[in-house]
Amino acid sequence: MTQTARNQWVWSLSCDWIKRNQNVLITGKSGTGKTWLGCCLGMQAIRNGISVSYRMVSRILEEFELAHLEGTTPRLRAYYKRADLLILDDFGVSKLKATGKHDLLELLDDRIGDRASHRAFWAVLATKNDLTPLHINVGAGDQRCRF
């Protein structure tokens, strides 16, 4: 491990990236430890007194589909907004339906929109795709989701 990589790892474990209002995007091929690394960051955040919620994107989308049927979408969005750190695993793995795109972008927008508040809301996104497929999977037409 190079000194630069070691410094980045130590910095990540200090949770300064959360305090500085920064997000983390972890990319890599299958089996390279993206989920493990995201969970390590989450566990370290918990040790630093930061509340964490970990979810696979496919599970969140299932929860939103059910919430739409039950009329509880605002409650579900508020639930995910409560955690200081939201870890989204397997983001961008499969193409999203229109409602899934909307729900996911609203969820991220809610968290990003609160940056001005005293409580920070940040996300760790783990994906096996590079950024180009991620934009294609999330974006619609000329609109793209950028982090």
Side-chain angles (χ1 to χ4, degrees):
M1 181 183 293
T2 67
Q3 186 62 37
T4 303
R6 186 172 290 117
N7 290 343
Q8 287 176 337
W9 182 243
V10 169
W11 179 77
S12 297
L13 291 177
S14 72
C15 296
D16 281 346
W17 57 277
I18 298 171
K19 297 169 191 157
R20 292 175 182 243
N21 303 333
Q22 296 174 324
N23 295 300
V24 173
L25 177 62
I26 304 169
T27 63
K29 295 181 180 181
S30 293
T32 57
K34 297 173 300 299
T35 298
W36 178 83
L37 181 57
C39 288
C40 286
L41 293 174
M43 290 301 296
Q44 189 63 24
I46 291 168
R47 289 184 188 108
N48 282 286
I50 298 165
S51 62
V52 177
S53 181
Y54 168 91
R55 292 291 190 276
M56 292 181 66
V57 170
S58 60
R59 300 290 189 264
I60 282 183
L61 295 176
E62 288 173 3
E63 290 176 40
F64 271 106
E65 281 183 33
L66 187 58
H68 285 299
L69 294 173
E70 296 175 344
T72 58
T73 306
R75 188 179 330 152
L76 183 61
R77 286 174 56 195
Y79 171 78
Y80 281 116
K81 206 172 159 184
R82 276 186 282 210
D84 294 322
L85 175 63
L86 176 61
I87 300 173
L88 300 175
D89 197 6
D90 285 340
F91 186 88
V93 172
S94 60
K95 198 159 191 156
L96 300 174
K97 298 177 189 175
T99 54
K101 288 179 189 181
H102 176 76
D103 291 332
L104 202 50
L105 291 175
E106 286 291 320
L107 176 66
L108 294 175
D109 187 55
D110 283 349
R111 297 177 66 80
I112 291 168
D114 277 347
R115 285 186 177 180
S117 71
H118 295 277
R119 191 170 178 205
F121 299 98
W122 311 115
V124 173
L125 305 171
T127 178
K128 62 178 140 184
N129 297 323
D130 64 18
L131 291 178
T132 304
L134 183 66
H135 285 194
I136 291 168
N137 286 339
V138 176
D142 290 334
Q143 299 174 351
R144 299 284 186 255
C145 177
R146 298 181 195 239
F147 304 97

